[in-house]
């Protein structure tokens, strides 16, 4: 029996939220593993830059924008991907926003904006691309969970609710679509310093607490998430679905660290 390996040659991936932060790192990493990758997000200039970087690696790409709060935008993204590449094997849902403030000050508008992108957007993206994958009886969907999918974090109620929902949605869709050859999994980053959270981490008591509770005593580098994504996207993960892989420097495992 031959080992299927971790290469992604001949695969096509769409990374939503793929123009910055974690999503960009995953898009570049999937391309380095052999996939043709479409990094999509709302800002055309950032999307074009990410697509150009992928092409410089010798892979095919497209600079396509999308808005995860719009089903028609997601449908257009799928159709453009199919027109160019004929299929989509891998979907990564990495678009997300966060806002920290006391819950009693959280407005309905803030709540709706965060849930619309972080949870409803993931749902619509999964549904849009899974129709194609179910028809082909093959596909990989990778969602991005959070420490707040498992633990209570201070003053991020809407974000935590959205990410708890992503974890539950991942498991539910995995069960439903497994008979059709579609694997749905998640990666759970620990504390990674990105443009989204740097103000919450740099030189703050919150940042120091995160470091105290992380056994490796450092923030993660976004490139350290790539290995988990390549595995979940590959043929080697053909019997893996409904799983969440923590990449967290030991955060979830930790109790007393000193």
């Amino acid at each position: 029996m031959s080992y299927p390996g971790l290469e992604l040659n001949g695969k096509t991936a769409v990374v939503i939220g793929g123009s910055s932060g974690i999503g960009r790192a995953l898009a570049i990493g999937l391309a380095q593993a052999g996939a043709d990758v479409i990094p999509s997000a709302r800002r055309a200039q950032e999307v074009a830059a990410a697509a150009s970087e992928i092409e410089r690696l010798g892979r095919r790409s497209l600079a396509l924008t999308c808005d995860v709060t719009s089903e028609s935008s997601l449908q257009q993204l799928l159709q453009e991907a199919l027109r160019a590449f004929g299929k989509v094997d891998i979907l990564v849902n990495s678009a997300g926003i966060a806002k920290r403030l006391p819950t009693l000050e959280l407005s309905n508008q803030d709540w709706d904006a965060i849930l619309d992108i972080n949870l409803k957007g993931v749902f619509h993206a999964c549904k849009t691309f899974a129709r194609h994958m179910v028809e082909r009886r093959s596909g990989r969907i990778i969602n991005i969970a959070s420490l707040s999918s498992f633990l209570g974090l201070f003053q991020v109620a809407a974000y935590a609710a959205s990410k708890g929902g992503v974890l539950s949605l991942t498991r539910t869709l995995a069960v439903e679509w497994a008979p059709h050859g579609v694997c749905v999994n998640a990666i759970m980053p620990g504390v990674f310093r990105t443009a989204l959270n740097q103000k919450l981490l740099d030189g703050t008591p919150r940042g120091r607490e995160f470091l105290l509770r992380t056994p490796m005593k450092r923030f993660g580098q976004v490139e350290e998430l790539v290995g988990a994504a390549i595995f979940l996207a590959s043929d080697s993960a053909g019997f893996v679905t409904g799983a969440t892989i923590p990449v967290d420097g030991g955060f979830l495992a930790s109790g007393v660290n000193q």
Side-chain angles (χ1 to χ4, degrees):
M1 178 178 177
S2 63
Y3 181 67
L6 295 171
E7 69 281 348
L8 301 179
N9 297 324
K11 306 287 188 182
T12 300
V14 171
V15 181
I16 297 178
S19 66
S20 62
I22 288 172
R24 184 179 180 123
L26 296 183
I28 299 304
L30 294 176
Q32 290 171 332
D36 298 320
V37 183
I38 300 170
S40 189
R42 290 180 295 179
R43 296 180 179 86
Q45 186 173 357
E46 293 183 3
V47 168
S52 293
E53 187 171 352
I54 289 164
E55 290 174 342
R56 285 195 294 272
L57 294 171
R59 309 302 174 191
R60 294 184 296 166
S61 187
L62 290 175
L64 299 176
T65 60
C66 80
D67 179 355
V68 295
T69 66
S70 167
E71 289 185 79
S72 62
S73 178
L74 290 165
Q75 186 63 40
Q76 183 177 357
L77 175 62
L78 171 62
Q79 293 307 316
E80 292 290 341
L82 294 180
R83 189 173 296 114
F85 299 112
K87 62 185 176 67
V88 174
D89 303 286
I90 303 154
L91 171 67
V92 179
N93 285 307
S94 188
I97 60 172
K99 187 172 185 178
R100 179 190 173 186
L101 74 169
T103 302
L104 295 180
E105 299 175 13
L106 180 68
S107 69
N108 289 338
Q109 290 79 9
D110 286 333
W111 174 275
D112 289 344
I114 292 169
L115 270 290
D116 279 350
I117 291 175
N118 293 9
L119 180 56
K120 193 174 180 180
V122 170
F123 166 67
H124 285 310
C126 287
K127 187 169 69 169
T128 297
F129 282 80
R131 291 187 189 279
H132 165 68
M133 293 176 176
V134 166
E135 289 175 0
R136 296 184 64 237
R137 301 194 65 79
S138 176
R140 300 284 189 269
I141 296 175
I142 303 170
N143 296 325
I144 305 299
S146 162
L147 286 171
S148 64
S149 302
F150 295 89
L151 303 169
L153 301 183
F154 190 61
Q155 292 185 340
V156 287
Y159 179 79
S162 72
K163 288 300 187 177
V166 167
L167 179 62
S168 182
L169 181 66
T170 297
R171 292 168 173 165
T172 300
L173 298 181
V175 171
E176 184 172 349
W177 294 338
H180 305 287
V182 179
C183 298
V184 187
N185 295 289
I187 296 170
M188 191 222 72
V191 189
F192 286 73
R193 185 183 178 279
T194 68
L196 186 67
N197 64 12
Q198 62 184 14
K199 291 182 180 179
L200 298 178
L201 298 179
D202 290 350
T204 66
R206 189 183 190 88
R208 288 190 288 273
E209 183 177 355
F210 275 131
L211 288 176
L212 179 66
R213 296 189 60 183
T214 302
M216 288 191 178
K217 303 302 181 188
R218 65 175 177 86
F219 299 139
Q221 304 294 317
V222 290
E223 293 77 16
E224 293 176 300
L225 295 163
V226 170
I230 292 172
F231 167 66
L232 292 175
S234 74
D235 292 341
S236 294
F239 202 56
V240 179
T241 197
T244 300
I245 298 180
V247 185
D248 66 352
F251 194 108
L252 283 184
S254 69
V256 176
N257 292 329
Q258 59 184 357

